[in-house]
Amino acid sequence: MTTGYESPLRCARLTGRACRSLVRGMEDVRTSSTVRQHHIGAISFGLGVIGLGVGWLVLALLAGGDLAPGKPMPFRAMDWAETADNLPEVLAATLGIVLTVVAIVVQLASQRYSAHVTTLFVRDPVNISVFMFMAASCVYLVLLPGLIDGDGPPVPESLAIALALSNFGLLLPYFAYVFRSLRPEVLVNGLERSAVRAFLRGPARRDRIVAAQRQLDDTVGRLADSCIVALREADRGHALSVIDSLEHTLTTWLRNRHELDRAWLRMPPGTLPQLTREFRADIDQRGIWFETRVLGELDYIMRRAATEMPEVVSRLGTAARHSAQAALEADNDEALRINLRFINSFVRHGINARNVRVAFAILEDYRRLAEYLLEHRPSEVADIAHQLVYYGRLASDRALGFVSVTVAHDLRILCERALDVRPEAAPGIIDALVALDEEPDAHGPASAEPTLLGIRRAQAMLAASLATRGYDDLAQRIADDMAAEPPSRLKAIRDGVLAVRERTFWEVNDRGYNLDYLDPAFHEAFLHFFETLITRANRRRASLTTSTHAVVTVPGRT
């Protein structure tokens, strides 16, 4: 026999199952913090259960029933019907409030970050579950009058009240979930997971791979658009988060592309429309369309960041360096070369924008990549060194002398690293370094002389390091290149280096150290280097003076 006490419990069990299903859906959606995710699930479940229990208790007390186990509750069907009579209007109003609040929040987020926020929201399984649950509750309450049986137990009425209490109990946890899911880092993480899932768990059938490729391409575009908005709104944290996601997506692709079907490496139609047909055909043939796609977005972000937010430029350079290293680890020469080409473009963007800080930051990552290549692909280092010389001269022509000096010091550091891991690569780097300096033009920019002095300081510091390590023949190459310098300039170069007594600069910069600092272990060789050069320069000058006097006195004798 079914009693009035047992019927509400059965209804409570049904509603509890719905709450647990909703909680599982919330737990399946990953956020930036797994702990907070479980907190939301626990709160949702707890509030649902508490709401049911309190509601049942209140109704029981109002009815004056005895709560002793096994004894039927003295509820009358009319009492339950009167209680549930206004629930459809109340629950419909609640659903309207939820829809209004959520719509406003989503609209503001889409305006702030990206129009694709709306798409992410409507595809979220938690949002779908909550609104389906609330809509189903409203439909049930509308149909409730036709389900009431005045002579039977109040099962429909008790279920209606239980659904209403569950909806009310889920309001605050759901709002908390929505507000947190619309945080920029959560949105970015969701897009990143969507991109990685597209190729790691994508379709195996070739006729469906093109659709998955387009989804992947669209997701990368969404991430880049979100970063551009962040730059415009001066939201540095969001911009950095997007760059991190683009880097992780690209490196994950590079590490797993050997396991993908060959169809994934073919360029999908409509991709990279800004490039010429010939360039797209070349990229398609090399199988690097996705690498080009992501690096192209980083390049676009670089152009915007160089003028709007230089603080994120260093992270862009690091992302390109890491992707190049991932390409090298995957033994993908084509991906490595396209990475190097884009890094060269990064350097040019800094020079074109006349932004010394941008070029300074990118050159640091470029040199660190070259150091990594010394150990794994030394054949590429000589080309990188000569490309650095090209950009150093370009910067000098644009009156960006500090960039040229930075190039000289990066070549010096790279050569010193080569002596430790690949001594056979050092001569090529030295040849590039001695080709960097140019004699100032009398009609050139005023910064030409300080630039030349800065480059010469880097060369002299390297010569001292070479001589100390026993590479006298390599040090002599630099000495021969500086042999024609006048004594006054040689002394200025020497004194400029010796004046720097601390490795750290007296201002804060991205690298954290002074480029002109020379380790005291090299001071002896450094002084000997200049002593020899200055002595030879003085002798040469005296010889020229004597020769000049001799030529002048000849006409007097005749």
Side-chain angles (χ1 to χ4, degrees):
M1 176 179 179
T2 303
T3 65
Y5 178 69
E6 294 168 343
S7 297
L9 283 180
R10 187 179 297 109
C11 298
R13 294 190 190 100
L14 294 174
T15 308
R17 293 193 188 102
C19 291
R20 285 193 294 271
S21 299
L22 180 62
V23 172
R24 294 191 191 100
M26 295 180 71
E27 291 176 347
D28 288 339
V29 179
R30 299 183 181 90
T31 64
S32 58
S33 173
T34 305
V35 176
R36 294 178 182 176
Q37 180 186 76
H38 290 295
H39 284 176
I40 291 297
I43 291 173
S44 302
F45 182 77
L47 287 177
V49 174
I50 292 173
L52 291 174
V54 172
W56 175 78
L57 180 61
V58 170
L59 290 174
L61 293 176
L62 290 176
D66 188 355
L67 301 181
K71 187 174 182 180
M73 300 278 299
F75 287 125
R76 291 180 296 110
M78 192 62 183
D79 295 333
W80 288 88
E82 290 177 355
T83 303
D85 187 45
N86 295 323
L87 285 181
E89 298 178 2
V90 174
L91 200 56
T94 303
L95 179 59
I97 293 174
V98 173
L99 286 172
T100 302
V101 172
V102 170
I104 292 174
V105 172
V106 171
Q107 178 65 22
L108 292 175
S110 63
Q111 292 176 351
R112 170 74 175 177
Y113 302 113
S114 172
H116 300 293
V117 169
T118 305
T119 304
L120 292 175
F121 180 83
V122 298
R123 292 179 178 177
D124 190 314
V126 174
N127 297 322
I128 295 174
S129 300
V130 169
F131 282 109
M132 288 184 63
F133 180 68
M134 297 187 73
S137 300
C138 290
V139 171
Y140 177 80
L141 290 176
V142 171
L143 300 177
L144 180 63
L147 302 176
I148 296 177
D149 183 6
D151 297 331
V155 174
E157 298 92 329
S158 60
L159 180 58
I161 296 175
L163 289 174
L165 291 173
S166 300
N167 279 273
F168 299 148
L170 289 173
L171 285 181
L172 289 180
Y174 177 62
F175 282 149
Y177 172 81
V178 170
F179 295 151
R180 192 182 70 256
S181 65
L182 293 178
R183 290 172 59 184
E185 62 269 22
V186 177
L187 293 173
V188 170
N189 290 339
L191 287 171
E192 178 190 330
R193 289 194 305 272
S194 176
V196 173
R197 192 183 303 116
F199 60 84
L200 287 185
R201 303 178 183 177
R205 290 176 53 182
R206 296 196 174 189
D207 57 339
R208 297 183 179 180
I209 287 179
V210 173
Q213 286 177 315
R214 288 175 175 169
Q215 177 188 351
L216 179 61
D217 178 79
D218 181 65
T219 304
V220 171
R222 294 181 186 184
L223 283 168
D225 292 342
S226 179
C227 188
I228 297 301
V229 173
L231 294 176
R232 186 173 63 245
E233 300 292 337
D235 190 346
R236 182 175 57 183
H238 185 202
L240 293 174
S241 177
V242 172
I243 296 170
D244 290 343
S245 293
L246 287 172
E247 176 199 326
H248 181 260
T249 302
L250 179 54
T251 54
T252 303
W253 166 276
L254 289 168
R255 294 188 180 105
N256 293 275
R257 58 171 283 162
H258 65 280
E259 300 177 357
L260 301 176
D261 190 284
R262 293 292 299 176
W264 275 100
L265 306 182
R266 299 297 303 273
M267 183 186 300
T271 306
L272 303 173
Q274 73 276 16
L275 303 181
T276 64
R277 182 175 58 184
E278 293 77 9
F279 194 10
R280 288 201 305 272
D282 181 66
I283 291 172
D284 188 22
Q285 182 180 2
R286 298 174 186 274
I288 53 173
W289 74 271
F290 186 67
E291 292 86 341
T292 306
R293 179 73 171 94
V294 177
L295 290 169
E297 294 295 354
L298 292 177
D299 183 73
Y300 178 54
I301 295 171
M302 168 66 72
R303 294 198 299 270
R304 298 292 296 269
T307 57
E308 297 182 13
M309 193 182 293
E311 295 84 356
V312 306
V313 167
S314 177
R315 185 64 190 87
L316 285 165
T318 302
R321 173 167 57 88
H322 288 169
S323 64
Q325 292 174 352
L328 190 61
E329 292 169 0
D331 198 23
N332 190 328
D333 292 342
E334 299 296 345
L336 174 62
R337 292 191 181 96
I338 197 65
N339 269 277
L340 294 175
R341 293 174 66 181
F342 271 104
I343 295 176
N344 286 333
S345 298
F346 289 178
V347 178
R348 179 175 286 276
H349 294 330
I351 295 174
N352 288 345
R354 303 184 65 82
N355 194 319
V356 174
R357 182 178 181 182
V358 169
F360 186 67
I362 297 299
L363 287 172
E364 164 76 7
D365 280 294
Y366 205 179
R367 191 206 74 240
R368 293 179 64 183
L369 175 59
E371 292 177 358
Y372 184 84
L373 291 172
L374 277 172
E375 301 183 31
H376 302 88
R377 193 66 60 82
S379 58
E380 300 284 346
V381 175
D383 290 338
I384 292 177
H386 286 90
Q387 289 160 7
L388 286 174
V389 170
Y390 168 80
Y391 290 114
R393 289 179 173 175
L394 179 63
S396 182
D397 294 340
R398 304 285 179 87
L400 300 175
F402 182 74
V403 176
S404 302
V405 174
T406 302
V407 169
H409 281 284
D410 282 330
L411 288 173
R412 170 183 65 83
I413 298 171
L414 180 61
C415 185
E416 291 175 344
R417 178 61 178 166
L419 295 175
D420 294 330
V421 296
R422 295 282 182 176
E424 64 274 14
I429 302 173
I430 294 173
D431 291 341
L433 178 56
V434 298
L436 179 59
D437 59 85
E438 295 179 327
E439 186 67 23
D441 188 352
H443 303 286
S447 62
E449 179 66 22
T451 301
L452 176 61
L453 292 177
I455 295 173
R456 288 300 196 193
R457 286 196 294 269
Q459 293 172 343
M461 293 168 65
L462 177 58
S465 176
L466 291 168
T468 303
R469 296 167 184 255
Y471 295 95
D472 294 331
D473 55 334
L474 298 179
Q476 188 60 42
R477 292 191 186 188
I478 300 175
D480 294 340
D481 184 69
M482 298 178 64
E485 295 288 1
S488 59
R489 183 178 289 166
L490 292 172
K491 292 177 182 178
I493 297 169
R494 178 197 62 191
D495 296 342
V497 173
L498 295 178
V500 179
R501 300 186 179 278
E502 293 186 6
R503 189 175 187 275
T504 56
F505 195 53
W506 58 76
E507 297 174 0
V508 176
N509 59 42
D510 294 340
R511 301 200 185 192
Y513 60 88
N514 197 323
L515 293 175
D516 288 330
Y517 175 77
L518 181 65
D519 192 302
F522 302 144
H523 278 192
E524 182 179 354
F526 184 78
L527 292 173
H528 178 73
F529 177 80
F530 275 97
E531 181 181 354
T532 303
L533 284 179
I534 293 173
T535 300
R536 291 178 181 176
N538 286 329
R539 290 176 181 174
R540 184 175 62 255
R541 185 175 184 181
S543 176
L544 290 174
T545 303
T546 303
S547 300
T548 302
H549 286 309
V551 172
V552 171
T553 56
V554 170
R557 292 180 179 177
T558 60

